[in-house]
Amino acid sequence: MTDPVIQNPTWYADIRYFFSEIDIKHMRSFGLELGTYEGVKTNASNIYAQVSAKHMPPGDPWSDNKIKSFLNWMINNYPMGTAPTTNLLAATNTAPATRIRKEVRELSDAEVTNLIKAFKGILGKDTSDPNSYFVQAGYHWFPGPNLYCQHHVNNYNPWHRAYLHSFENALRSVPGCENVTLPYWDFGNTSEFPDLFTKEPFASYTLPEAVSANYQKGYATSRFAVSHILEGFKNQVQPQTLFALKQKTWELFNGFNAQGYYGIIGGHDDGHVTTGPTMADQGVAAFDPIFWFFHANWDRLWWKWQQEMQATTLETFISTVTDASNLAFFQVPALEVLPPFEQKTTEVIDLAANLDTDYQHPASETLTTEKALRFFGSLPATNAISIDVDNTSVRVKGINRLKIPGSFIVRLQKNGEDIAWKGFFQPAEPETCTNCSANALINMDFRLPISKVEGGKLGIVIEPMDKEMTGDRISLKAVGDPTIHARLLVTDE
Ligand SMILES: [Cu+2]
């Protein structure tokens, strides 16, 4: 076996493969983390001492060239790098999944007919039937009594992945639909709105019984005009999707972190508030049939990122996690469950192996060909940085979202005119939700050309989606007097 010295090794391309799963698990029990970038970087000197003394791994020491490669990585300031395009892990991936989800506009006529049959089947089931549309949609929030909120947290992606699996199983309970899969809506393709969504049974859903005081029997789900929806996805959701897919760590991909609220979770929230009044309300969003196609795409995007990062298994996924508390979260599998679903967080990470599901990505995927900005407010000093002179980030810091009943939009204004907006998705009574209360203070990030913000006075307006309760806007004092910041952005590219 050839084992040349690697002159410029990186974490993603080389170093993370230096440790076997057995080494990682074994050393973890002694408190030494070899499965993550931060763990290996922090303990690099110690690791180097052990491997160069040929003590590690016991009985199977590293070759001299491998030791030299590791030293090169240390000398070069521990570069993170990117995942290799050739799949080094192909050998560890087992049988291909049998549930293949396709783009909704790429279904054959027979597949559409079958999907309609499956939807009509679960819509026709009694509201007490666990496979009914009513029960499945109700897991998201109303009618309760258990409110399973998993948003703006690590479990946002895992919980929704388990949720889609549960919904797909319900569709498969309909006789003749045993092989149906849930299609996704590639909302990055804004050239047209899928025609199917405007037809029965996908256009709207009427509640067969009340789910809350505000949502009575007979309430019909509704959406904004198609032009409004497409514009929101094009201008608001897509830039954040592209940004997220270019990130190299779980934290930046997820996008709800110290670097700001911009990425997958931000795009998801904006997608909800731009689709319609029903989709904008966390309490009832899942009753709008579009919810399922929308969320299947978020799940696909997460999986696509996992594939590109070679992070499809639990251990390789952990190699992308950098924050200590997030790490602890993903390393305690026994504790992390996704109620009301049977899977655990750590089980849904490998979508293909554990949920037997994969995605057929769209024929004309634009994500990888378009250039996305990859800029931050700050980066570790080990990275050589350059400054983006064209764009800025305006951040509104410290909005107490518990004071706002339901989802809302923050509008950034120059001289009283809107120049940008950002949505936040939450229940009507956020103070009753544990996850919401734990993340009460939020920051909103706007990334825009400097030319758009210069030469005028900047301010913000907070507009609730449901104006009946509070009127058109919420006073800044009521939400804890948030502050406004502007900064230059940097990149290490
Ligand atoms: Cu959602």
Side-chain angles (χ1 to χ4, degrees), residues 50 115 122 127 130 134 175 178 180 195-196 211 216 225 230 234 261 276 301 305 328 357-358 392 405 453 467 492:
Q50 294 294 323
L115 183 69
I122 63 170
T127 55
F134 184 79
E178 291 81 3
V180 80
D195 204 32
L196 197 65
V211 296
Q216 292 293 323
L230 291 181
K234 186 173 177 212
Y261 168 50
L301 293 168
W305 181 80
T357 301
D358 209 336
T392 182
V453 297
K467 297 176 183 60
D492 56 1

Side-chain angles (χ1 to χ4, degrees), residues 45 47 79 124 129 151 209 291 319 349 366 397 417 435 440 474:
S45 310
I47 294 166
D129 187 329
H151 293 90
E209 52 188 74
F291 172 94
S319 78
I349 284 169
T366 52
K397 254 180 158 169
E417 303 258 332
N435 279 335
I474 298 195

Side-chain angles (χ1 to χ4, degrees), residues 140 151 156 160 268-269 272 279 282 285 291 294-295 298 425:
H140 197 256
H151 293 90
Y156 154 69
H160 286 83
H268 159 265
D269 282 24
H272 268 283
M279 275 283 277
Q282 188 181 308
F291 172 94
F294 170 76
H295 259 291
W298 287 117
F425 182 65

Side-chain angles (χ1 to χ4, degrees), residues 218-241:
Y219 166 81
T221 64
S222 67
R223 298 177 196 147
F224 298 129
V226 163
S227 58
H228 176 94
I229 296 173
L230 291 181
E231 201 183 288
F233 277 93
K234 186 173 177 212
N235 299 331
Q236 201 72 20
V237 179
Q238 189 65 351
Q240 294 187 75
T241 305

